[in-house]
Amino acid sequence: MIAYNKAKEEAEALRQLQVLELVTTKSTNVPYFKDKLKEHNISSLKPVGLDVFQVNVGKMCNQTCRHCHVNAGPDRQEIMTKETMQLCLNAIQKFNIPIVDLTGGAPELNPHFRWFVKACHALGKRIIVRCNLTILLEADEHNDLPDFFAENGVEVVSSLPFYDATRTDKVRGKGVFETSIKALKMLNARGYGKPDSGLLLDLVYNPAGAFLPASQTMLETEFKEHLWSEHGIVFNKLFALTNLPVSRFLNYLVNTDNYVSYMEELVNAFNPLAAENVMCRNMISVSWDGYLFDCDFNQMLNMKVAADERNHVANFDLDYLLKREVKVSQHCYGCTAGAGSSCGGEIVLL
Amino acid sequence: MAKDYYKPEDLKKFGTIGNYQKPLADKFFAWYGEVFKEGALTEKEKDLIALAVAHVVQCPYCIDAYTTNCVKNGYSEAQMMEAVHVGAAIKGGAVLAHSVQMMNKNEEISF
Ligand code: SF4
Ligand code: SF4
């Protein structure tokens, strides 16, 4: 176990922000994200509402994917406590926020995960769990997760980098594709992804390297064809996500000398329509220790929504949050490239 | 004289060929754009053809560009390599097919 070291984590977030700032000096083709917005007459990103309450319940994960922006892994100790979860429930209930989106790490590894999901279900919320699939087979205690998800009306959103083992395993580790296929079959057997079952199973594609995703529609068609013909697997929708230059993926870009050209590619593909519809305008993201952020990426960069106590879920102030200005940096280009990218995939139809 | 004949950053300058002859460059880029749009073939199919041709004409810029496109569009490593083999086979075949001309000439000038 690696002991949690707050100062070290904060220093690392600051270092990443500096790397993001620095790119503007390394290429004349990468202006500050804020300036790019202004070029398109967008003075700042302001919320349009608050429908999604995303909770990162901890950084512990059974995998260590190469693109992971959370830098998650089996050694991470940052796990949300039941008390913080209760504070989340209070805010969700008090302000009647309709969607609860659970992420991590592997959210299922939080010891209070099931308690929290049940509580959200009791409040009648739409619940999304970002499940990495392999967790279902990680230990016997997780094998009944498909039943648990179904009983609580959970929508399962699962990452699968590709429909073959070569690319998937390159991103997520050896043998992950095979285990993911087994897990998908378990979910299908419980009705997930089947037409008319009412149980939603969506997949997330993200590029296995320093390139942008192809069209979501094309990828969805191919994923559906391959997973069905080669494995008899069905799912509902595929979301194509862009890898954002944060954490492990940022380090990969820098170490492989792909950083500047990747950023240039993101800037080249800047789409003002996607910029106007970025997901942070309708969500709030809560970290394992209860701090509030515009999104999970800003969380990793320690860009809290406020400098005062309103930056914690214990002091959830909806009025303030709805009037805030979203904190941006160069990583935001990942959300505005091409058709855009959000936790729900492409943002605009091209 | 330049130290290197090929520089990756020169690909970005491709558009500047119009500085010396704009009407022809404009026509070329418009035509190029049309060629790669979905038609009887999909954009994805055209990317794989372009990858094979890029190898045959040995253009490092096109190899970089169409490798990226092919990876992005979900071609497997094996598919991309097979496409290059197709290009190589056609090129190799074309060389060998010309040997018929060599044989013809040989017959013509020899006792
Ligand atoms: S990407 Fe998801 S599954 Fe992979 S290490 Fe990060 S949290 Fe775990
Ligand atoms: S990275 Fe976060 S803050 Fe930036 S545009 Fe995307 S969602 Fe918004």
Side-chain angles (χ1 to χ4, degrees):
Chain A
M1 278 283 173
I2 299 167
Y4 170 61
N5 180 332
K6 190 165 187 275
K8 206 173 140 214
E9 290 297 320
E10 285 177 358
E12 169 57 15
L14 201 63
R15 183 196 67 82
Q16 288 183 40
L17 272 174
Q18 282 162 354
V19 175
L20 287 167
E21 292 274 307
L22 209 63
V23 73
T24 56
T25 63
K26 299 219 160 159
S27 165
T28 48
N29 299 322
V30 186
Y32 281 107
F33 184 74
K34 266 193 174 161
D35 294 340
K36 189 78 181 170
L37 289 179
K38 280 195 198 119
E39 224 180 82
H40 293 272
N41 295 321
I42 307 170
S43 56
S44 64
L45 296 177
K46 293 259 189 196
V48 288
L50 210 173
D51 285 336
V52 183
F53 193 97
Q54 191 174 67
V55 193
N56 191 316
V57 297
K59 296 187 179 177
M60 188 184 276
C61 189
N62 56 321
Q63 293 184 176
T64 46
C65 306
R66 293 183 68 174
H67 68 294
C68 184
H69 71 269
V70 181
N71 200 13
D75 291 334
R76 300 302 299 249
Q77 286 190 324
E78 301 93 318
I79 295 281
M80 186 178 272
T81 62
K82 200 169 178 180
E83 291 69 38
T84 307
M85 283 180 167
Q86 185 59 58
L87 294 173
C88 290
L89 288 170
N90 297 349
I92 294 164
Q93 185 170 22
K94 182 168 175 196
F95 299 105
N96 203 16
I97 301 168
I99 305 169
V100 184
D101 184 341
L102 296 181
T103 188
E108 300 88 345
L109 287 176
N110 183 307
H112 315 295
F113 168 76
R114 293 194 190 214
W115 171 82
F116 189 57
V117 170
K118 280 186 198 160
C120 292
H121 184 54
L123 291 175
K125 301 299 166 190
R126 196 179 139 197
I127 307 165
I128 297 167
V129 171
R130 298 187 182 266
C131 167
N132 72 12
L133 295 173
T134 57
I135 193 70
L136 266 59
L137 291 128
E138 183 67 20
D140 291 350
E141 69 196 77
H142 302 304
N143 292 168
D144 67 335
L145 276 167
D147 286 332
F148 174 77
F149 290 151
E151 282 153 19
N152 290 283
V154 167
E155 294 174 28
V156 178
V157 177
S158 291
S159 202
L160 188 69
F162 210 57
Y163 48 73
D164 71 23
T166 321
R167 289 229 170 90
T168 300
D169 289 2
K170 264 190 190 167
V171 182
R172 292 172 94 79
K174 207 165 182 307
V176 167
F177 181 74
E178 206 187 317
T179 314
S180 301
I181 291 296
K182 283 186 194 149
L184 284 169
K185 286 183 176 167
M186 285 163 72
L187 287 161
N188 276 176
R190 185 60 184 78
Y192 269 98
K194 295 255 167 90
D196 306 325
S197 70
L199 298 172
L200 292 179
L201 169 62
D202 296 326
L203 294 186
V204 171
Y205 160 90
N206 62 281
F211 55 93
L212 301 189
S215 119
Q216 185 164 283
T217 319
M218 184 204 84
L219 286 166
E220 182 179 288
T221 309
E222 296 207 338
F223 266 70
K224 286 200 165 166
E225 279 171 13
H226 282 268
L227 289 180
W228 173 247
S229 65
E230 287 153 32
H231 306 282
I233 286 167
V234 288
F235 66 93
N236 296 98
K237 279 189 269 164
L238 178 111
F239 302 136
L241 262 59
T242 302
N243 290 324
L244 261 72
V246 174
S247 189
R248 220 173 265 162
F249 186 63
L250 176 62
N251 291 343
Y252 159 80
L253 289 174
V254 172
N255 294 339
T256 55
D257 218 8
N258 276 306
Y259 179 43
V260 176
S261 59
Y262 186 74
M263 291 305 292
E264 286 178 342
E265 208 183 335
L266 292 180
V267 176
N268 262 340
F270 181 84
N271 176 355
L273 201 59
E276 279 175 27
N277 293 290
V278 279
M279 62 182 176
C280 47
R281 299 190 67 195
N282 197 21
M283 73 179 291
I284 202 78
S285 155
V286 190
S287 63
W288 68 278
D289 48 359
Y291 286 99
L292 303 178
F293 301 85
D294 302 298
C295 69
D296 210 44
F297 303 106
N298 283 9
Q299 203 182 113
M300 301 311 141
L301 295 167
N302 196 25
M303 299 162 78
K304 298 188 176 81
V305 290
D308 56 30
E309 72 288 347
R310 289 174 298 188
N311 67 19
H312 198 272
V313 69
N315 311 306
F316 201 88
D317 179 342
L318 187 63
D319 274 348
Y320 170 75
L321 291 173
L322 289 176
K323 286 185 199 125
R324 80 191 192 274
E325 195 177 301
V326 169
K327 300 227 163 15
V328 297
S329 183
Q330 277 45 264
H331 63 299
C332 296
Y333 278 117
C335 290
T336 58
S341 181
S342 72
C343 287
E346 285 182 355
I347 298 172
V348 292
L349 289 173
L350 284 182
Chain B
M1 197 170 109
K3 289 216 174 77
D4 304 300
Y5 285 108
Y6 292 120
K7 295 193 211 108
E9 57 273 23
D10 280 352
L11 178 57
K12 286 179 216 143
K13 297 184 196 156
F14 191 17
T16 65
I17 63 165
N19 293 352
Y20 282 14
Q21 225 298 356
K22 191 160 163 38
L24 290 180
D26 286 348
K27 283 198 170 78
F28 167 76
F29 286 118
W31 169 73
Y32 193 96
E34 277 302 311
V35 166
F36 278 92
K37 274 192 192 148
E38 172 129 13
L41 295 173
T42 62
E43 286 181 20
K44 181 172 169 168
E45 286 163 341
K46 291 178 185 187
D47 279 333
L48 193 64
I49 296 171
L51 180 73
V53 177
H55 280 79
V56 175
V57 299
Q58 290 167 325
C59 172
Y61 301 116
C62 295
I63 292 174
D64 271 7
Y66 288 99
T67 301
T68 306
N69 276 10
C70 286
V71 172
K72 191 189 277 190
N73 281 325
Y75 283 114
S76 68
E77 287 155 8
Q79 285 172 319
M80 292 194 293
M81 188 56 89
E82 277 183 32
V84 174
H85 273 283
V86 171
I90 293 293
K91 190 160 187 171
V95 170
L96 288 175
H98 279 80
S99 63
V100 176
Q101 200 167 343
M102 174 269 284
M103 292 193 295
N104 288 346
K105 188 69 187 173
N106 180 51
E107 299 298 331
E108 192 185 307
I109 60 170
S110 306
F111 292 119

